[in-house]
Amino acid sequence: MSDTRHPDTPGTLDGSTHRVVVVGHGMVGHRYAVELDEALRSAGLRARVSITVCGEERQAAYDRVGMSSFFDGRTAEQMSLVEAGWVEASEVDVRLADPVTTIDRDARTVTTAARHVVPYDTLVLATGSSCVVPPVPGHDAPGAFGYRTIDDLERMQAWADGRGTGVVLGGGLLGLEAAQALQHLGLEVHVLQKGPRLMPAQLDVGGGSMLRRHVEGLGMHVHLDADTTRIRTGADGAVAAVELADGTRIDTDVVVFSPGIRPRDELARACGLVVGPRGGVVVDEHCRTADPAVFAVGECALARDAVWGLVAPGYAMAKVAVAHLVAALVGDPAPEVAFLGADMSTALKCTGVDVASVGRHTLDDPDVLELVWNDPSRKVYKKLLLRESTGEVLGAVLVGDAEAYPLLKSLASAGAPLPGPPESVLFPGAGDGPAVAGPAGLPDATVVCSCHDVTKRSICDAVHSGAHDVPAVKGCTKAGTGCGSCVPMLAQLVDAELGKLGVQVDRSLCEHFALTRRELYDVIRARAYTTFTETVTGVGTGRGCDICKPVVASVLATLAPAHVLDGENAALQDTNDHVMANMQKNGTYSVVPRMPGGEVTPAGLIVIGEVARDFGLYTKLTGGQRIDMFGARLEELPAIWRRLVDAGFESGHAYGKSLRTVKSCVGSDWCRYGVQDSTGLAVALELRYRGLRSPHKLKSAVSGCARECAEAQSKDFGVIATEAGWNLYVGGNGGMRPRHGDVLVKDVSTEDLIRYVDRYLMFYVRTADRLQRTSTWLDSLDDPDSGLSGVAYLRHVVVDDALGLGAELEADMARHVDGYADEWAATLADPDRLSRFLSFVNAPETTDDSIRFTMERGQIRPATEAEVAAGTALPPRGARRVSLGIPEVMSR
């Protein structure tokens, strides 16, 4: 390809608006736009530069790295990288679903599919890459898909519905992601890898072999050295089978291509830019193409003779390209920043397995030592490459346990030696070796956050400048806001620097208690306090507040169980606990009876239906396999619960910081894939832990096989059945920041499983901070004495019983189980407790007429002020008195 270099380069601003057009709104294109916007504002040039981004997809930039989470229920909106309000605040012109089709470098314009002509002074190509589709016969048949975009996923999901088998071509990172996605869709999965091992770019032979054991343990079929020659179609013309060169035929309904990526350089080729022999727009160390007015960043670029197929190098390119453009516009000399290659270290959860790769995994050098640990029984493989003469860390491969990844990556990046014996780094806390120094001992130039290229020095400087906690350091350095793998190390650095500064971090619960929640728990336990008054008198000051009262109430509920409405307990509770129902936006309440494991009889369903009908309640199924009834007035709650309790229902504790649900699939009783009785276990777990008060709400699930229909890995504690028993996951959650749980133990019996869950929950209840979910609590666990953190430390405590707490934690849980009583049944039996359920204490026969509803889709919903004013709302509901054998309460 000839070099048709444009004679002009972007010069300083001459008074006219400088027009920057970014082609592509993927992860790197979006990062470029964000970096450029911020850099221009810092230079005072934002008003003189326009930024236009032309995206091909209908979605704005999203997290393409974690696409398999789409099948865990994560929506396109939740995967978006564009923060709410950013487009408006930045004034970047983002145009979606209108791809650029041509570039005219002489006229300096791009033309889009909608025939919009957009002029530019600087053009940035961020077109990314596409998946390689081998040109075998049948590759374009219905049922064959790429795995690259959300649209791909949606088409694949729609096609897979009701089908039985799927084949993935490619055993690399994306291929295994696709395989996991197909398994989530309920398909039997075959993975075809053309080479001799899985993930060859990241793993050596041993690591690839161990990963294969994990993948096959999940029920997938792995075919190595599998050369696909044809995709057979059926009578309907759709995919029917895959044929291999060795004669193997695999019948299938779905084929997903993910054997590799190819740079999207077609626009560059068409406009005469120089491209590499195997693709990729050739750029220099400033990410500039042969045309000085055109940059290329990310996977479409060929930088230093390589296409860098990870997002972190793309981000680094974006940063370099922005720096050089802004310097040119300002008129400054070219900055020294350049793209000279990138750290290709990777850590990820591949099909639920921790996999990490640092630096090189093989080196033909007599000065290199290879240290290998291979434990097939635990499916753990670790390999470390060290320079023998200096001890310098050169590379590592970790499969099955990647806890050492952040430290090893930082050491390799800094060219630093191990801070201790190899086994103390790879297996911290094991044996009698000295503890490693940790991140505080790393060189200042060590890159802690490779996503944003943030060094240890930058983090320490931020702490010394006043950022005294992790969120503050994140805010001013961006460290930990990318993939998040460096956050544990970031937290350790912040604590270490605060220690150097002599800063004592105030972790007091509130102004009334100079103790953490954990310290308060220990004090109440040791001194056997049974009331808030005893506690605040003994170790606090004043009368308490809305922060400490619910915390003390929660601790007392565990250590000295009593009804939540008895005595002074009633005054300690949050609003919802105070009436044992969830308050809604119009002042009414929702009612959620417990359905252990999601099980309910037809008779039970009829009762719920009759209650909802008779009280005019809106009904909706919850994500936790229960039925929620909305619109109950305060005075109606006792009568509603009387009907439910008489039918055998209990409180679902939807209002409390306590166990909510244990969701389940139907398991081996009904499902042909189920290997254990997941429903039976879910019912047993929910009945065992019902009513357990904790620092935050708890959710759980049990799946009967690796297909994970109950989504157990997204729960505070989740269980997945195996042929040998159960795997226990901890610390998962959904919400705004979804997190898959970490494996605590594998293939354990039901008896052992319950013992470990007992210990885990009670250790959490005892040590977590106020309103701390298990996910953040797990990430915060860090023990300097053992050198362990996170799930490794939790396993140390719960499974190994290294602290000798096991029996104590089990006894605490046994006391809770033995002392459980349904709160609503107890309330209905006590006139004093029932007397609280009145809208107007001084006028018990009066209902609150300000509560108004309207009808929508055949059910009530809260009426708006406009609807009430317009007279279109329903009239106020009347009330009648019903006798419960106690002072009368109002009912409809």
Side-chain angles (χ1 to χ4, degrees):
M1 191 69 65
S2 63
D3 181 354
T4 54
R5 180 182 292 267
H6 197 286
D8 298 327
T9 60
T12 54
L13 293 170
D14 57 4
S16 60
T17 298
H18 188 90
R19 299 158 300 185
V20 178
V21 173
V22 182
V23 182
H25 197 217
M27 297 179 73
V28 175
H30 178 63
R31 174 58 65 88
Y32 179 89
V34 171
E35 293 267 359
L36 179 60
D37 173 60
E38 293 177 352
L40 291 171
R41 291 180 191 279
S42 296
L45 300 177
R46 185 64 185 91
R48 302 170 64 186
V49 179
S50 69
I51 307 174
T52 302
V53 180
C54 299
E56 181 178 35
E57 297 182 61
R58 55 191 172 87
Q59 297 91 359
Y62 53 85
D63 180 10
R64 205 183 298 275
V65 177
M67 286 210 308
S68 64
S69 63
F70 178 82
F71 297 102
D72 289 335
R74 194 178 176 205
T75 65
E77 291 73 21
Q78 291 169 328
M79 294 166 68
S80 176
L81 300 178
V82 183
E83 296 180 3
W86 176 80
V87 172
E88 295 78 9
S90 66
E91 298 181 326
V92 173
D93 182 7
V94 179
R95 306 179 182 186
L96 301 177
D98 189 15
V100 170
T101 54
T102 58
I103 299 170
D104 186 335
R105 291 169 53 209
D106 293 326
R108 289 192 174 179
T109 61
V110 299
T111 302
T112 70
R115 308 193 66 78
H116 294 132
V117 178
V118 186
Y120 70 83
D121 297 299
T122 295
L123 182 66
V124 181
L125 299 176
T127 47
S129 62
S130 59
C131 69
V132 173
V133 177
V136 296
H139 70 274
D140 53 354
F145 301 91
Y147 188 81
R148 200 63 185 158
T149 68
I150 287 180
D151 287 344
D152 289 337
L153 305 188
E154 290 179 344
R155 286 192 291 267
M156 194 167 76
Q157 186 177 40
W159 180 269
D161 186 27
R163 302 179 192 271
T165 304
V167 168
V168 176
L169 271 61
L173 169 60
L174 282 178
L176 294 178
E177 280 249 341
Q180 187 175 25
L182 290 180
Q183 194 170 56
H184 279 306
L185 294 173
L187 274 63
E188 182 177 1
V189 178
H190 294 258
V191 178
L192 310 186
Q193 168 64 358
K194 196 169 184 178
R197 66 179 184 275
L198 298 174
M199 293 184 66
Q202 291 84 15
L203 303 180
D204 66 341
V205 174
S209 176
M210 189 60 74
L211 179 59
R212 178 180 181 175
R213 290 173 62 90
H214 279 282
V215 172
E216 291 181 333
L218 294 173
M220 300 184 195
H221 308 278
V222 177
H223 307 258
L224 301 179
D225 296 316
D227 186 8
T228 303
T229 56
R230 174 182 289 274
I231 297 173
R232 290 284 183 187
T233 56
D236 58 356
V239 165
V242 171
E243 291 182 350
L244 307 182
D246 63 2
T248 301
R249 173 188 166 107
I250 303 171
D251 292 334
T252 185
D253 306 300
V254 182
V255 171
V256 178
F257 297 109
S258 194
I261 61 169
R262 174 173 294 139
R264 293 283 305 274
D265 58 10
E266 57 269 23
L267 285 172
R269 288 176 184 270
C271 71
L273 289 171
V274 179
V275 300
R278 301 183 62 182
V281 188
V282 175
V283 296
D284 62 15
E285 62 186 18
H286 301 159
C287 299
R288 198 188 306 271
T289 70
D291 182 340
V294 182
F295 292 80
V297 294
E299 293 176 351
C300 69
L302 184 70
R304 300 183 69 81
D305 296 325
V307 173
W308 302 81
L310 293 176
V311 69
Y315 286 173
M317 291 183 197
K319 192 170 187 175
V320 169
V322 165
H324 283 274
L325 175 59
V326 174
L329 295 176
V330 173
D332 287 345
E336 294 183 358
V337 60
F339 182 77
L340 302 175
D343 180 5
M344 295 296 282
S345 299
T346 308
L348 50 102
K349 249 190 201 318
C350 183
T351 59
V353 182
D354 287 321
V355 177
S357 172
V358 174
R360 302 285 297 275
H361 53 64
T362 55
L363 276 173
D364 184 14
D365 185 334
D367 193 30
V368 173
L369 283 177
E370 289 191 359
L371 307 177
V372 177
W373 288 260
N374 192 353
D375 184 351
S377 64
R378 296 177 55 230
K379 296 183 182 176
V380 172
Y381 175 87
K382 300 188 180 187
K383 178 179 178 180
L384 195 55
L385 295 183
L386 302 176
R387 187 166 299 287
E388 185 173 14
S389 56
T390 63
E392 176 187 353
V393 176
L394 301 174
V397 174
L398 308 170
V399 178
D401 176 6
E403 185 184 353
Y405 169 76
L407 180 59
L408 289 173
K409 182 170 79 72
S410 298
L411 292 170
S413 172
L418 287 176
E423 60 271 22
S424 69
V425 175
L426 292 178
F427 301 95
D432 301 324
V436 299
L442 293 171
D444 285 351
T446 302
V447 175
V448 175
C449 175
S450 57
C451 292
H452 293 279
D453 196 26
V454 183
T455 64
K456 176 195 167 190
R457 179 72 268 157
S458 299
I459 293 168
C460 296
D461 288 346
V463 175
H464 286 255
S465 298
H468 286 178
D469 56 32
V470 171
V473 174
K474 282 183 173 181
C476 61
T477 67
K478 293 186 178 178
T481 60
C483 70
S485 65
C486 66
V487 171
M489 182 180 289
L490 177 62
Q492 293 178 52
L493 280 174
V494 171
D495 287 346
E497 289 307 302
L498 289 175
K500 291 178 184 176
L501 289 171
V503 175
Q504 185 173 2
V505 180
D506 185 4
R507 303 185 189 280
S508 300
L509 183 62
C510 66
E511 62 180 297
H512 303 104
F513 288 97
L515 301 169
T516 65
R517 183 190 178 280
R518 176 175 184 166
E519 292 166 340
L520 190 58
Y521 186 102
D522 290 339
V523 167
I524 293 174
R525 179 189 183 89
R527 300 189 183 185
Y529 292 143
T530 58
T531 67
F532 179 83
T533 298
E534 288 179 352
T535 307
V536 75
T537 302
V539 294
T541 59
R543 298 180 178 180
C545 62
D546 291 342
I547 294 176
C548 61
K549 284 181 176 179
V551 170
V552 172
S554 174
V555 174
L556 290 174
T558 303
L559 297 176
H563 196 282
V564 294
L565 301 184
D566 281 355
E568 68 175 28
N569 283 349
L572 304 178
Q573 308 298 332
D574 287 327
T575 301
N576 291 336
D577 287 273
H578 190 70
V579 294
M580 299 182 296
N582 274 344
M583 178 179 279
Q584 305 301 313
K585 62 189 293 184
N586 65 343
T588 60
Y589 295 86
S590 68
V591 174
V592 186
R594 185 171 299 286
M595 295 180 181
E599 238 181 23
V600 62
T601 65
L605 274 178
I606 290 170
V607 170
I608 290 175
E610 290 176 341
V611 168
R613 179 198 60 199
D614 294 347
F615 287 86
L617 305 178
Y618 169 83
T619 57
K620 192 176 191 307
L621 300 180
T622 73
Q625 298 182 336
R626 305 197 288 190
I627 297 175
D628 207 343
M629 293 176 276
F630 293 79
R633 292 196 305 267
L634 179 63
E635 62 272 18
E636 293 175 326
L637 291 174
I640 291 172
W641 273 105
R642 167 57 72 199
R643 299 265 296 269
L644 294 171
V645 169
D646 287 347
F649 288 104
E650 293 184 348
S651 168
H653 289 98
Y655 45 84
K657 301 291 186 292
S658 58
L659 179 76
R660 297 290 175 84
T661 66
V662 183
K663 185 177 174 181
S664 73
C665 62
V666 294
S668 56
D669 283 351
W670 290 92
C671 178
R672 58 195 174 102
Y673 298 113
V675 296
Q676 302 283 355
D677 178 14
S678 54
T679 304
L681 179 64
V683 171
L685 293 177
E686 185 159 346
L687 294 179
R688 183 172 182 81
Y689 304 121
R690 59 187 166 178
L692 177 67
R693 251 52 181 198
S694 53
H696 211 297
K697 62 186 176 185
L698 292 167
K699 295 183 178 180
S700 179
V702 182
S703 285
C705 73
R707 285 172 175 76
E708 249 284 70
C709 294
E711 303 168 321
Q713 293 180 75
S714 64
K715 306 303 181 187
D716 295 281
F717 64 101
V719 183
I720 300 178
T722 69
E723 295 284 354
W726 307 97
N727 290 347
L728 173 60
Y729 295 78
V730 295
N733 68 248
M736 292 179 63
R737 296 186 181 280
R739 181 190 192 278
H740 264 179
D742 295 328
V743 179
L744 185 64
V745 288
K746 289 186 173 182
D747 296 329
V748 294
S749 66
T750 303
E751 181 183 6
D752 286 342
L753 175 85
I754 291 175
R755 179 166 68 253
Y756 293 142
V757 176
D758 281 0
R759 293 180 181 180
Y760 162 67
L761 289 178
M762 274 303 172
F763 190 53
Y764 165 65
V765 169
R766 178 181 288 195
T767 62
D769 285 336
R770 168 181 172 268
L771 300 180
Q772 188 176 34
R773 290 294 299 267
T774 57
S775 54
T776 52
W777 169 72
L778 185 60
D779 288 339
S780 73
L781 293 179
D782 184 28
D783 179 42
D785 293 335
S786 65
L788 297 174
S789 60
V791 73
Y793 177 65
L794 183 66
R795 191 178 296 116
H796 192 54
V797 175
V798 170
V799 180
D800 303 336
D801 197 15
L803 304 184
L805 289 173
E808 192 174 301
L809 297 172
E810 291 172 36
D812 286 346
M813 185 59 78
R815 188 164 50 251
H816 162 75
V817 173
D818 293 341
Y820 171 78
D822 177 41
E823 291 173 348
W824 262 109
T827 299
L828 293 172
D830 188 320
D832 288 340
R833 293 168 185 161
L834 283 173
S835 64
R836 299 176 181 278
F837 294 89
L838 296 173
S839 289
F840 303 100
V841 175
N842 295 331
E845 296 185 1
T846 303
T847 60
D848 186 353
D849 288 345
S850 67
I851 297 174
R852 302 287 293 275
F853 298 96
T854 189
M855 297 297 290
E856 187 169 286
R857 297 185 296 276
Q859 296 200 81
I860 62 165
R861 67 160 171 80
T864 64
E865 292 183 5
E867 289 168 337
V868 173
T872 58
L874 297 172
R877 279 205 310 228
R880 61 186 174 85
R881 301 177 71 85
V882 297
S883 175
L884 295 173
I886 48 178
E888 291 179 324
V889 298
M890 305 297 291
S891 179
R892 184 176 180 273

